Amino acid sequence: MVAVLACLAACARTSIDVPCGSDVDCGDCTQCIDGACVLDDVCASATPLRVSGVTWPVNRGLAQDLHIEIVNSDGAPEDWVGTLTFTSSDPSAQLPAPYVLTPTEHGQVSLPSAVVFDSLGVHTLTVTAGSMQASVTGIEVTERHVFRSVGAGRVSALAIGTGNPVTIDGIAATFAAALPDDVGVGDALQYDADDDGVADALAFIRHRHDASHFIVKTATDGRPVASATNVRWQLFRAYTSFADADGGIGNLGLDATVRNFDDRSLPTDLVAAETKWSFACYADAPHVATGAPVFVQDWVTSTTYDVRIFAPSAADEVGRSQRHRGIWNDAACTMVNAAVGSLWDTALDLRVANVRVEGLQIDLGGGTGITARDAVTDGRFSANIIRGSGDNGFGIACSAQSGARVWNNLIYDVAGDAGAGILAPEQGAGYVYNNTIVNSHRGIYLTYENAAVVLKNNIAIGNLAGGGAEPGFDLTPVIVSAASVGNCTSDTSGALLGGGTGAQTVGATFLDAPSGDYHLHADAPCQGTGRVLSSDPELSFGDDFEGDERPATACDPGADQS
């Protein structure tokens, strides 16, 4: 929410200054006027106690201002005298001590940095003034979460302040006019907060309400410097390459006074900082990898405090999706492996645990798409489209890592005598679910005896590329978890899965395979033969590779839910 006004009596909760299309969007005691929710006359006359200043989502431990106002029936300030008290549903919240309003304050007080929520979840803040009471509800408290945008070669500003003043109040940034639709989470806003002609403040977009209203945070996910109707600002991608992001080299378009916002001279310890970290990949131009390790090493992570590399797509992330819609699209976020020499040259070379890669397009060039090295545990790779061209390595290579989870990926044309769509984990647990691998040298490849790898709902069709006759499921030796079920292949290799019950030997019909459209056709023989995985104990999900919902029964195997 951008602003909240708590109402008494018939007005239980009111949201104002929120974009709307009709009164239905606004909540109690408001109406939609000129595209924004405003307080209606009934609520104004029925609400003597008003509470504002709290915005969300807000990260745990971040202080927020509190403004309290007591008004008369006409909405004018009331000279009320008495004690204000504060309570919250968050048992660990840091709240103000009881506050005594004096006659000189005329029923109004602003308490800076007054409220700190410390428990994750959705909470309520209640203010009591004598017999009056008002509550702000639905306050979403999250982990600290840092966002950085990466736009290949995008050095120039995305938007500037000329004719479009911005006001930064708390963690809310409000622009007078709409920003471009490719602006989104992780973008860096530099501004001159003290009006001396030099950029001295920097904030990063954390959440998008609409094209004019955003939540912004400092480099460490804190509260940015306040500024009112400021036209001395510019908005940039935080980084212009993944190599720079890994090295902490900020966009050179940013002023030198604010550019060095991430210090990579020492390992980045997300666990000690209790912080999640997300790199948002934008489709400004292809992200080209030339053979040097790209990402990510010297980070301290955990399953809670992880690193995420993703293409933003949701309306609260960006105005125009940067992610594919199930078919290769040059206008979507794309990584290109331009390495030459070894099939192990990799577009994304991951060397730290707890990394998530979501929604990217990866062109293999002559190498491999994603490599999770030996040190990587609990890598999670989902909803990516990976295509080969020529003599390739692997679409996704889990190497020796343990705990890999690979799901909802489309991988095709991975040729080469040693290659495969997915190299399953060589040791420890691994979960490979609902992937579609087509026209590759091998489909899913296990090179060691590893009975802890579970294969569910995968389609491995026509994987005979490279002149050989390699199977869809190449198990060498033939050992895999008996829990493997719901897989489909066009050869007999699936009969070896799950004690002979883990796969069926059938073909699959795609909408337009020659054009790269691997959505399942309505008459696909394997349609509806997959298992429902929304409650799977190791890897639960209920959508497909383009975000479409999977049904509660009769799920399709492969990346697409038809």
Side-chain angles (χ1 to χ4, degrees):
M1 296 295 178
V2 175
V4 173
L5 186 61
C7 292
L8 191 66
C11 305
R13 176 184 175 187
T14 296
S15 302
I16 63 171
D17 296 335
V18 174
C20 59
S22 69
D23 291 349
V24 176
D25 300 330
C26 294
D28 298 335
C29 311
T30 57
Q31 51 191 321
C32 187
I33 298 177
D34 296 330
C37 299
V38 300
L39 192 65
D40 63 26
D41 292 339
V42 173
C43 188
S45 63
T47 311
L49 177 59
R50 300 178 179 181
V51 179
S52 60
V54 178
T55 52
W56 65 87
V58 59
N59 53 282
R60 183 175 63 182
L62 181 66
Q64 296 214 77
D65 296 341
L66 199 57
H67 181 73
I68 298 147
E69 184 179 20
I70 298 172
V71 300
N72 59 27
S73 60
D74 296 324
E78 179 74 33
D79 290 339
W80 187 86
V81 176
T83 301
L84 303 173
T85 59
F86 309 89
T87 57
S88 174
S89 61
D90 178 359
S92 301
Q94 300 173 40
L95 303 174
Y99 185 90
V100 178
L101 273 175
T102 65
T104 58
E105 292 173 297
H106 304 292
Q108 301 180 73
V109 63
S110 292
L111 304 175
S113 302
V115 179
V116 178
F117 296 97
D118 200 46
S119 299
L120 302 179
V122 178
H123 296 292
T124 298
L125 172 68
T126 299
V127 180
T128 302
S131 62
M132 298 177 289
Q133 192 173 80
S135 295
V136 182
T137 63
I139 303 168
E140 181 185 1
V141 181
T142 63
E143 297 280 6
R144 294 185 183 92
H145 195 162
V146 167
F147 282 82
R148 298 286 186 268
S149 60
V150 185
R154 188 71 178 269
V155 177
S156 59
L158 304 169
I160 61 176
T162 304
N164 188 8
V166 64
T167 294
I168 300 174
D169 183 10
I171 58 175
T174 303
F175 295 85
L179 298 184
D181 62 5
D182 61 347
V183 167
V185 291
D187 286 336
L189 176 67
Q190 71 171 23
Y191 56 104
D192 178 9
D194 59 8
D195 198 22
D196 64 354
V198 178
D200 50 33
L202 189 67
F204 296 85
I205 294 177
R206 171 71 166 77
H207 182 93
R208 177 185 184 273
H209 291 299
D210 62 26
S212 301
H213 300 85
F214 299 84
I215 296 295
V216 294
K217 301 287 189 70
T218 65
T220 56
D221 205 35
R223 177 175 168 157
V225 179
S227 186
T229 57
N230 190 336
V231 295
R232 301 170 303 281
W233 62 266
Q234 299 85 36
L235 188 67
F236 294 87
R237 299 285 189 234
Y239 292 109
T240 57
S241 73
F242 274 107
D244 285 351
D246 195 32
I249 303 171
N251 188 337
L252 294 179
L254 290 163
D255 287 3
T257 52
V258 296
R259 187 185 306 146
N260 298 320
F261 46 84
D262 287 331
D263 181 5
R264 294 280 191 272
S265 61
L266 297 172
T268 302
D269 192 338
L270 300 184
V271 177
E274 296 184 330
T275 300
K276 300 170 72 71
W277 199 290
S278 288
F279 290 97
C281 173
Y282 285 83
D284 301 313
H287 299 258
V288 179
T290 56
V294 175
F295 244 45
V296 174
Q297 54 188 341
D298 296 329
W299 293 62
V300 180
T301 65
S302 69
T303 55
T304 299
Y305 304 114
D306 54 19
V307 176
R308 179 184 179 217
I309 305 165
F310 76 109
S313 60
D316 61 3
E317 295 171 340
V318 67
R320 171 169 48 86
S321 175
Q322 306 294 294
R323 179 171 159 171
H324 64 79
R325 282 294 295 168
I327 304 173
W328 188 277
N329 177 4
D330 289 339
C333 178
T334 302
M335 300 198 72
V336 176
N337 188 354
V340 293
S342 168
L343 59 83
W344 283 105
D345 286 331
T346 299
L348 276 175
D349 194 342
L350 308 177
R351 305 187 180 199
V352 70
N354 307 296
V355 179
R356 289 72 170 103
V357 181
E358 305 169 10
L360 306 186
Q361 293 182 156
I362 303 177
D363 189 324
L364 297 185
T368 290
I370 300 171
T371 299
R373 300 287 182 173
D374 295 0
V376 177
T377 57
D378 195 29
R380 303 192 179 209
F381 316 119
S382 63
N384 302 290
I385 296 181
I386 302 175
R387 70 178 185 185
S389 55
D391 193 6
N392 308 122
F394 303 95
I396 300 174
C398 297
S399 188
Q401 75 147 296
S402 176
R405 288 163 170 81
V406 184
W407 75 101
N408 276 348
N409 298 285
L410 168 62
I411 305 172
Y412 60 96
D413 295 348
V414 184
D417 292 341
I422 297 173
L423 175 62
E426 297 172 0
Q427 62 188 27
Y431 308 94
V432 182
Y433 293 178
N434 275 99
N435 300 283
T436 297
I437 305 121
V438 181
N439 195 37
S440 298
H441 187 62
R442 299 176 180 89
I444 299 174
Y445 187 27
L446 278 80
T447 59
Y448 293 89
E449 297 184 11
N450 188 359
V453 173
V454 183
L455 310 180
K456 294 184 180 181
N457 292 2
N458 297 287
I459 293 177
I461 298 292
N463 291 297
L464 308 176
E470 299 291 348
F473 300 97
D474 192 354
L475 317 176
T476 312
V478 183
I479 294 180
V480 72
S481 171
S484 298
V485 293
N487 300 282
C488 293
T489 183
S490 54
D491 55 51
T492 59
S493 63
L496 302 172
L497 299 178
T501 62
Q504 55 178 331
T505 303
V506 299
T509 306
F510 302 109
L511 287 181
D512 189 0
S515 299
D517 187 349
Y518 291 100
H519 291 89
L520 283 178
H521 196 280
D523 63 0
C526 60
Q527 188 179 35
T529 62
R531 302 302 193 270
V532 175
L533 301 178
S534 56
S535 299
D536 189 89
E538 301 297 340
L539 175 57
S540 61
F541 56 94
D543 57 2
D544 72 358
F545 72 150
E546 52 192 324
D548 294 337
E549 185 178 1
R550 294 185 184 271
T553 59
C555 283
D556 293 336
D560 175 48
Q561 178 65 44
S562 62

